[in-house]
Amino acid sequence: MRKYFAKSVAVSAAALLALTVSACGSEREGTTPSGGSSGGATGGFAADSLIGVALPAKTSENWVLAGDLFTKGLADAGFKADVQYAGASTTVADQQNQITAMTTKQAKVIIIGATDAAQLSAQVDAAHAAGAVVIAYDRLIKGTANVDYYVAFDNFKVGELQAQALLEGMKAKKPAGPYTIELFSGSSDDNNSGVFFDGAMSVLQPLIDSKEIVVGSGQTAVNQTATDGWKAENAQRRMDALLTSTYTGDKTLDGVLSPNDTLARAIITSIKGAGKPIPVVTGQDSEVESVKSIMAGEQYSTINKDTRNLVKASIDMAKALQQGQTPQVNDTKSYNNGVKVVPSYLLPPVIVTKANAAEAYANDPTLSALTK
Amino acid sequence: MSRFKDLQKNLFGGTTSNARQFGMIFALVAIVLFFQVWTEGLTLSSGNLIAVVSQYSYILILAIGMLMVIVAGHIDLSVGSVAAFTGIVVAKLMQDHSIHWFLALLIGLGVGALVGAWQGFWVAYVGVPAFIVTLAGMLLFRGANQWVGKSQSIAVPEGFQTIGGGFLDDIGPNTNFNNPTLLLGFAVCVAVIVREWQLRRTRTRMHADPTPLWVAAIRVGVLIAVILFATFRFAGGRVGTSFPISGIILGVLVVAYSFYTRNTAAGRHIYAVGGNSRAAELSGVKLQRVNFMVMMNMGVLAALAGMIFVARSRASGPQDGIGWELDAIAAVFIGGAAVSGGLGTVSGSIVGGLVMAILNNGLILKGIGADSIQMIKGIVLLLAVALDVYNKRQGRFSVIGSITKGFRGSGPSTPSEPPAQKVQTPVVG
């Protein structure tokens, strides 16, 4: 026993020393940051390289679908894919850790759907310094010069389309104004929320000024209309409060600007709960439940931003980079992240109402079945 | 077998109260080696070690404060919100009033102290249970964070970023390693040797059993091997990175608080209060002051953790700090603290925190999803504490059992009694 023990101690001590000696190898290569300037497209990389994809928490169907499409699409393209979601409660820290892990695993391209636009810049810098190309997916990352590309739908246009649909819907129900509406915007830590809202207000503000549209509660500032974390419960709670404070008695609500489908359904739930007629409610994302709701005549509109196209555009960028080419972009002016203008590839959004749903979802097996 | 006992008893400088920690250190080593193999060497690579330290230092800092709170028999659920509140206040101050970052840091610690004092007042002087006070604090300061920051992310200037995202500079001759990190590592090695030598001298002077020389040699040898290994790894990372500043802050705090809780009267009072508050009070411990100081201290450390996170993220955001209290509490309990207070050590909590950190990091490296990781962490927490409870019931090696045994007569196990922590004794010394 003694002998055995002494031996095992000696062996483990020797093993530790061996580890120490092997540790003397340094990961430093010369004195310049390795690959520090390879952010563009020089030379490409191996066809079976690792491509990291860091997505936010699974709070909407869209992100779940995107993750599945990335996993499949990247594998089909011959890459090794590492697709990660942030946890439901610790989103920012999770994403930071996941991006760092992808950097450690020497991913060549890291595609990020950011949960917080401002809190990932350190990890993006580190990834870039380690030689990875960083693509911001759907949400721009702010405060760093090391975001290489941005792939998204034209979000300002989304806001405009939502506002136009809201107006059309209300006119169809009630030919003459003034119309009473309420405004909802997304989570204020998501860079897109402001862009959607600005787009919508570019259409609505002139009408508010000319009194053709009245915001019943008077709440028009972004911080009043924001929905923390894009959470349905927060939107529902605010709508409940608005109904109690503003729409008691026979005062009617004609329309609600909702930035996405999850919130739209929460708003409709709240209004139904209060026993009021459902106003015109906009949406975005073409979620299954909302498409059903539109076909049933409850929610008025949604936006079709086909996730397939967005994921495909991102994977095409990775393919171009792999072959050493410069990925295609179509906007080099609009998206300034506070440090630089990020070269962007923008896809056009499509507005969908009950009238054009069958046509809009013709390519989507799940959604087209709902429109019949 | 006696040699094994010698080793178990002496390797990490403690006796029975370190038994659980001893187990945890082996668990930590096992987890590290497991992931090192599973991730094909990524776990112990320079880049990853550096990332782990900067990712988890703020949680470990919280665990230090939480350990003291839990030892005193309380709990603090508000740390995440307090951290987020401090973060946004400091970020706002620097953005709107262009206050120098170092001054902002001090103000942040002051805010933490005030928040802690507020909670300490309710706990110690009004007598509201800490669970309730800090549950209220969790809501209060989360709301305050969103109110001050208008639910938006606010960037912090570069100087401030060093406390969370900074590294030791590259200075001196080009050795292909980061020189300050090397020096730091060597200094720690020297400190380990000096301390071991001092301990031996003290024991000899007090005519206590001296640690067998071979055990001492292994202990120092293993520690130095580990430190040297870590030193070369941290010093050999990508140029521009080295040992994180936040890791140095953590190291200083661990040493200082270990000394405070182990070797000072005020520190021992916390254990006395947590073990048996009435007995402690009758022995002249100022109960209210101890409780107040413990809560206030937690506030300061939460503020520091929040600022380090903000510095690392380069911005303060509305989602900061969510769930941190759970990570800190888990670290403390995995590290061997008792739910009812009076038991636990700073170093144990750090080891507990590191177990969770390496587990988390290794699973992320393997591309396991955040949902599965949460489930695995939950199971690990449950099992770690259940194992101790089980061992105690079986009359085997257990922290709680080994201390309460003397007070309950001769029976090694009393199965009819409800399990766990019913019998409380002050653990002083």
Side-chain angles (χ1 to χ4, degrees), chain A residues 5 9 19-20 23-24 26-28 31 84-85 87 90 96-97 100 105 116 119 121-123 125 129 188-189 228, chain B residues 7 46 51 55 146 151 153 170 174 176-177 218 225 229 236-238 241 312-315 317 320 322 365 367-368:
Chain A
F5 191 72
V9 167
L19 265 174
T20 311
C24 294
S26 171
E27 285 175 26
R28 304 196 157 197
T31 47
Q84 295 291 328
Y85 289 97
T90 53
Q96 291 175 342
N97 298 351
T100 308
K105 290 194 278 187
D116 186 301
Q119 292 188 298
S121 52
Q123 287 68 36
D125 289 352
S188 44
D189 57 353
D228 263 347
Chain B
L7 191 68
S46 293
Q55 275 163 17
Q146 296 177 353
S151 293
S153 301
D170 274 308
N174 184 0
N176 216 16
F177 286 103
I218 287 182
F229 174 77
R238 193 166 48 76
T241 63
R312 195 175 104 79
S313 304
R314 298 187 184 172
D320 290 1
I322 294 177
L365 281 177
I368 311 285

Side-chain angles (χ1 to χ4, degrees), chain A residues 309-367:
Chain A
N309 296 340
L310 196 59
V311 169
K312 186 170 172 299
S314 310
I315 294 176
D316 286 347
M317 272 196 177
K319 281 186 195 159
L321 289 164
Q322 186 265 319
Q323 287 160 3
Q325 299 160 355
T326 306
Q328 188 193 354
V329 292
N330 59 13
D331 184 319
T332 50
K333 293 193 293 283
S334 310
Y335 287 89
N336 188 325
N337 74 347
V339 178
K340 72 164 188 182
V341 176
V342 183
S344 310
Y345 184 75
L346 300 180
L347 289 85
V350 177
I351 190 89
V352 181
T353 60
K354 195 173 177 176
N356 70 343
E359 177 194 350
Y361 299 129
N363 294 330
D364 186 318
T366 323
L367 295 179

Side-chain angles (χ1 to χ4, degrees), chain B residues 276-409:
Chain B
N276 185 331
S277 59
R278 274 189 60 78
E281 199 172 16
L282 292 171
S283 326
V285 173
K286 293 200 174 63
L287 203 57
Q288 293 179 325
R289 187 185 295 174
V290 170
N291 285 336
F292 180 80
M293 290 309 288
V294 162
M295 296 307 290
M296 182 156 133
N297 177 64
M298 182 76 255
V300 176
L301 289 181
L304 180 61
M307 288 189 285
I308 286 178
F309 180 80
V310 165
R312 195 175 104 79
S313 304
R314 298 187 184 172
S316 170
Q319 314 266 357
D320 290 1
I322 294 177
W324 291 6
E325 60 284 341
L326 304 180
D327 282 338
I329 292 169
V332 170
F333 285 131
I334 290 181
V339 180
S340 50
L343 215 57
T345 60
V346 170
S347 50
S349 304
I350 296 300
V351 172
L354 284 176
V355 167
M356 287 302 231
I358 296 290
L359 191 68
N360 208 350
N361 170 262
L363 291 170
I364 291 179
L365 281 177
K366 282 311 287 181
I368 311 285
D371 39 9
S372 311
I373 291 178
Q374 283 188 37
M375 290 192 277
I376 292 170
K377 280 162 74 181
I379 297 284
V380 167
L381 170 63
L382 186 64
L383 290 183
V385 179
L387 194 67
D388 192 64
V389 173
Y390 175 78
N391 278 342
K392 173 179 167 283
R393 268 214 233 156
Q394 298 298 305
R396 266 186 242 145
F397 167 77
S398 149
V399 187
I400 300 153
S402 60
I403 288 160
T404 53
K405 196 167 59 186
F407 297 83
R408 281 192 299 193

